[in-house]
Amino acid sequence: MWQTALTASLQAKSEAKAAGSDFSSGTHDVQLQRLEMRPLSVDDVNVETKGLHIVQTLKYKRILITGSTGFLAKVLVEKVLRNQPRIGQVYLLLRAGRYNSIQERTVDEIFDCSLFKPLREKYGDEKYVELVGSKVTCVSGDIGKQSLGLSSADGHLLKTTLDVIISSAATTKFDERYDHAVNINTVGPLRLLEFAKQCTKLALFAHVSTAYANGKRKGFCPEVPFEYGQSLQQEIHQDEANLAAAGISTPEFDPGSEIELAFSTADKLKRMYASDDGYSPKEIIKGMVKLGSERAQMFGWTDTYTLTKAMGEQMLMKHKGDHDVPVVIIRPSIVESTIRSPFDGWIQGNRMLDPIILAYGKGYLKGILGDPDNVIDMIPADIVVNVLLAAIVKHGGYKLRKPIVYQVASSVVNPMMGMTFRDALYDHFRKHPMASKHDSLRLVRVKYLLVVKNEAMFWFLLNALFNMPLKALRSPLWVNNGMIRKTRTTLKRNFESVKNMAVTYRPYIFYEGRFDASNSERLLSEISDEEKDLFGYMIKDVNWDTYLKKVHIPGLRQHVLGWRQTGTFDPNWTIIDPVPERYLPRS
């Protein structure tokens, strides 16, 4: 029934008629198997003759993925379908949201996007529809609800068939209201784990966290799981004497109590601002955002997002217990566009560092608060997916005493300096300038981005560039001048944008932690020789200057801007390039 509805939605969207296909669904006629995994220890694995065989291992397996409309999960779904069309079934847990059905949302937000274009071209419209319809199942559910919001029938089917659960759903807003972030990032993974414990055939539970769950740690950040109730304040200040000297108190950190605090405070604010017309959501949002920020700072994290993700890991640590299902935690750093698979440069949304890149290319970002000598830790999305799939193959079916952590990051293995980022932006937009928003024939000529390390100087310069001209334009002489009003509105909007970027990205641009990625690099090196080109390209091989100039920034212009304001950049140019060695030089 699910597959029929999804196939119908795909057919309607692509205006193609369903035809016969040689794809076997693998749903009812294939005997379920436990994942055939490599040994847990890497010491006795001869990578030259053995290695991890991801494609073969995925055959006939059933995988549940949450957060499937998100950037990283889409790359995962595409890679699984493209490399193993004989996957048993991919279940996508999602809500209908603003759509009429979950099938309609799945087609519109996932399978109709440009990421799946190579897969569609490989099989043709009809067989593509048949492949997705037979291998992908949409399940109505919500990790923000008890029992995942599943119907009894759906819950029973999943509990008796699943081999792997991948927890990828999250709210990534840095200043999210505390109760919402706790519900999704902290309690959500716990709900999914409790469901996993009821699955009779489950071989592995994989949770996607973030490397920035390391909070305000400085220096080397190892790939180790959090202990329940582990606060970072004492790590940061080393001892009680330093804490006292800094005037910092260290209240006991208990994620369970934080969950109660978040929900009870939200209820309290609803009662406080209740009226005959309901309650004021503005006041509640303001109060909950403030609470999240305060709690994060109190316990040693940068913001609500990183705190609640760390608490999510700690809840998994506490509640995993002695259950046989192994838990793997994937911690990527700043996830950006794909470097190779299915093609270089695919990205979804204006995310993380991208507002800085596009604001600079459009000409209104002249300078930014930052340190050109500090490291910016980013990672291509397809490398994160490769590590996730390799971890499933390596650890599935083996009992682990503690969760295994894989940090997929570059700051230790292959660091990219702030000056590399700045220089790449200048080189790209100097050679391929964007066009003015209001005049497509006028090109935006960028100057070298001013990176100001001193905060006082930065705010002084920002005031001089924006606030002083704004004050001058408020003169009564210009009140009725339409062009001046338009200029004033643009200046104010740009000022707010630059100010918000400085505040939002400050903890990440000045971040002093360096993420160990030894586990991830070792894991990728264990991939079999036959699959190296598919899954085994290494973090250490990425040339960041080339990646930014020829992959990531063009990808932003193609997939986020849709070639708007392209200027001299050929809008018919495509990033799709099947040559895998192009941007990853082998040693």
Side-chain angles (χ1 to χ4, degrees), residues 1-50:
M1 181 177 178
W2 289 318
Q3 287 88 347
T4 302
L6 180 58
T7 301
S9 296
L10 277 166
Q11 287 171 328
K13 192 77 176 182
S14 63
E15 298 181 356
K17 296 180 180 180
S21 172
D22 56 0
F23 293 113
S24 173
S25 68
T27 305
H28 304 293
D29 58 346
V30 178
Q31 184 178 358
L32 286 167
Q33 305 169 19
R34 294 286 285 183
L35 292 175
E36 298 174 2
M37 298 295 165
R38 301 302 309 154
L40 182 60
S41 173
V42 301
D43 296 331
D44 58 353
V45 175
N46 185 340
V47 296
E48 294 182 359
T49 59
K50 297 181 180 179

Side-chain angles (χ1 to χ4, degrees), residues 362 434-436 556-558 560-567 571:
K362 292 175 181 179
M434 296 182 70
S436 168
L556 281 175
R557 299 176 73 166
Q558 180 178 5
V560 176
L561 292 183
W563 293 128
R564 295 190 303 275
Q565 298 175 248
T566 56

Side-chain angles (χ1 to χ4, degrees), residues 570-582:
D570 183 2
N572 295 317
W573 180 81
T574 176
I575 292 174
I576 299 176
D577 187 339
V579 182
E581 291 80 16
R582 184 176 176 188

Side-chain angles (χ1 to χ4, degrees), residues 173 175-181 261-275 277-294 304:
K173 189 177 179 182
D175 59 347
E176 179 66 271
R177 49 184 291 177
Y178 198 35
D179 55 331
H180 284 189
L261 174 67
F263 293 149
S264 63
T265 303
D267 290 339
K268 180 181 178 181
L269 289 175
K270 288 179 182 178
R271 292 193 299 271
M272 184 181 300
Y273 294 103
S275 65
D277 298 326
Y279 53 83
S280 171
K282 183 178 179 181
E283 295 298 330
I284 295 171
I285 293 171
K286 183 178 178 181
M288 295 309 299
V289 167
K290 181 181 178 183
L291 177 64
S293 178
E294 290 174 347
T304 303

